[in-house]
């Protein structure tokens, strides 16, 4: 781990001491520090378990945004074969914050797309930190239509703080592009599985997540607005993001209880960033399992079931 969250600082100190001891021993063959280092490792594991067993909504927001969590490109590279990227919206430009194309998932032909935030400073700027512009959503519409035409299931990987709110994006019809993408999700007659792998923010996330089956990683978030944005609007004070995170009910656990999502994918202790390979494997198994539940369904059944799902949203929470 090279990046520690604010609430992980005590953990950083313990793990830093253990690494420092081992580094000293590597430079001096006569030093035997392994027992002491192992004791620190055990203490660090206990603290990690204690920190993550009851994360507050705000801390889950921090974990969901961790820069070392696996991103869309990591999932595509690890889970999909014969990936052929498709670029551009055939109207204005290519949006690098949205990546997608044709691929195979365990030899099943699919269309896969998702938000990509980038993994270093250069790529984050190129990818606009995962905030799509109108051309990104229009590219998504083109991929949804392609999937529908060739009867290919769709897999979407959602990880965005929200659609880009810049002047140019608004001039090119940002809200209309998001609405068209959402509409297209509800119209196509093929299975759609969506996974929130990090942040699922605002309509920018909904435009990819109007799926037959929606799953979330254990420490991901999904909300109509970011806690900071909500606090700025309701309290005129962005520092009240902790209170906003509590009120928004944006955690996977809250959303499963409300009936918004269908599955929670367990993360390794300490979050996806501490077990990237294991997390990616679990996501792949979940996607395959959810696709299998829709095998044999007709086009009409899929469309009707998807629309009913969204019309019924809220009834579970009201009953509870």
């Amino acid at each position: 781990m090279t990046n520690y969250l604010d609430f992980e600082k005590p953990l950083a100190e313990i793990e830093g001491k253990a690494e420092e001891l081992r580094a000293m021993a590597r430079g001096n063959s006569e030093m035997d520090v392994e027992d002491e280092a192992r004791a620190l490792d055990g203490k660090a594991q206990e603290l990690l378990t204690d920190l993550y067993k009851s994360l507050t909504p705000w801390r889950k927001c921090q974990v969901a945004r961790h820069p070392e969590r696996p991103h869309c490109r990591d999932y595509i590279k690890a889970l999909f074969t014969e990936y052929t990227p498709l670029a551009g919206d055939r109207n204005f430009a290519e949006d690098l914050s949205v990546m997608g194309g044709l691929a195979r998932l365990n030899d099943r032909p699919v269309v896969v797309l998702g938000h990509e935030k980038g993994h270093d400073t250069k790529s984050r700027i190129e990818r606009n930190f995962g905030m799509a512009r109108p051309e990104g959503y229009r590219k998504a519409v083109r991929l949804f239509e392609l999937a529908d035409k060739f009867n290919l299931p769709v897999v979407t990987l959602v990880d965005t703080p929200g659609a880009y709110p810049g002047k140019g994006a608004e001039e090119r019809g940002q809200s209309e592009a998001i609405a068209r993408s959402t509409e297209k999700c509800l119209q196509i007659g093929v299975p759609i599985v969506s996974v929130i792998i990090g942040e699922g923010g605002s309509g920018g996330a909904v435009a990819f997540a109007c799926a037959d089956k929606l799953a979330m990683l254990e420490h991901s978030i999904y909300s109509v607005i970011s806690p900071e944005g909500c606090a700025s609007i309701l309290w005129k004070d962005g520092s009240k993001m902790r209170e906003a995170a509590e009120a928004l009910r944006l955690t996977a656990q809250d959303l499963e209880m409300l009936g918004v999502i269908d599955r929670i994918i367990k993360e390794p202790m300490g979050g996806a960033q501490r077990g990237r390979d294991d997390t990616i494997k679990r996501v792949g198994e979940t996607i395959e399992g959810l696709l299998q539940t829709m095998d044999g369904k007709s086009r009409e059944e899929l469309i009707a079931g998807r629309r009913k799902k969204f019309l019924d949203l809220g009834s579970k929470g009201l009953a509870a």
Side-chain angles (χ1 to χ4, degrees), residues 141-270:
V141 169
R142 187 166 74 87
L143 291 174
F144 291 142
E145 290 175 341
L146 187 70
D148 197 32
K149 180 177 180 179
F150 293 104
N151 197 31
L152 299 174
V154 175
V155 176
T156 68
L157 303 168
V158 179
D159 189 14
T160 179
Y164 184 60
K167 181 174 181 287
E170 296 297 337
E171 289 174 343
R172 295 193 299 279
Q174 182 71 290
S175 59
E176 185 267 348
I178 292 170
R180 293 294 182 191
S181 181
T182 305
E183 178 187 42
K184 189 58 65 175
C185 284
L186 297 172
Q187 287 178 340
I188 62 177
V190 295
I192 308 176
V193 172
S194 182
V195 182
I196 313 291
I197 57 175
E199 286 185 273
S202 192
V206 173
F208 283 16
C210 287
D212 299 286
K213 300 293 181 182
L214 176 59
M216 287 180 70
L217 281 172
E218 182 182 3
H219 302 312
S220 59
I221 58 172
Y222 187 34
S223 174
V224 69
I225 192 171
S226 69
E228 296 92 336
C230 178
S232 296
I233 293 170
L234 293 184
W235 292 287
K236 312 298 182 187
D237 183 359
S239 66
K240 290 188 177 292
M241 64 276 191
R242 292 170 181 79
E243 292 88 339
E246 293 278 351
L248 285 168
R249 301 187 74 176
L250 43 63
T251 68
Q253 294 73 25
D254 280 335
L255 294 168
E256 184 183 44
M257 184 180 69
L258 291 170
V260 175
I261 68 170
D262 303 288
R263 187 78 58 86
I264 295 176
I265 305 170
K266 189 171 177 59
E267 296 187 28
M269 182 55 64

Side-chain angles (χ1 to χ4, degrees), residues 8 15 26 29 37 45 62 69 72 95 164 185 189 201 204 212 216 229 231 239 266 313:
E8 293 178 323
E15 292 186 337
R26 284 193 291 269
S29 58
Q45 187 60 38
Q62 293 178 284
R69 283 175 78 85
C72 180
D95 186 349
Y164 184 60
C185 284
D212 299 286
M216 287 180 70
S239 66
K266 189 171 177 59
L313 281 181

Side-chain angles (χ1 to χ4, degrees), residues 63-180:
V63 176
R65 296 168 176 171
H66 198 290
E68 293 178 10
R69 283 175 78 85
H71 291 159
C72 180
R73 71 182 192 117
D74 300 313
Y75 288 99
I76 291 177
K77 183 178 180 180
L79 298 176
F80 298 87
T81 57
E82 299 181 35
Y83 173 61
T84 303
L86 299 176
D89 65 347
R90 300 297 187 267
N91 185 38
F92 181 76
E94 160 69 343
D95 186 349
L96 293 176
S97 64
V98 175
M99 61 183 298
L102 303 171
R104 289 181 181 273
L105 177 65
N106 196 20
D107 208 37
R108 181 198 291 257
V110 298
V111 167
V112 58
L113 69 150
H115 304 93
E116 173 55 43
K117 286 184 171 180
H119 59 281
D120 56 23
T121 301
K122 182 181 178 182
S123 63
R124 285 173 190 142
I125 293 171
E126 288 177 345
R127 304 281 186 176
N128 203 32
F129 301 89
M131 294 184 290
R133 296 177 172 89
E135 46 272 25
Y137 294 106
R138 291 180 177 127
K139 174 167 69 173
V141 169
R142 187 166 74 87
L143 291 174
F144 291 142
E145 290 175 341
L146 187 70
D148 197 32
K149 180 177 180 179
F150 293 104
N151 197 31
L152 299 174
V154 175
V155 176
T156 68
L157 303 168
V158 179
D159 189 14
T160 179
Y164 184 60
K167 181 174 181 287
E170 296 297 337
E171 289 174 343
R172 295 193 299 279
Q174 182 71 290
S175 59
E176 185 267 348
I178 292 170
R180 293 294 182 191

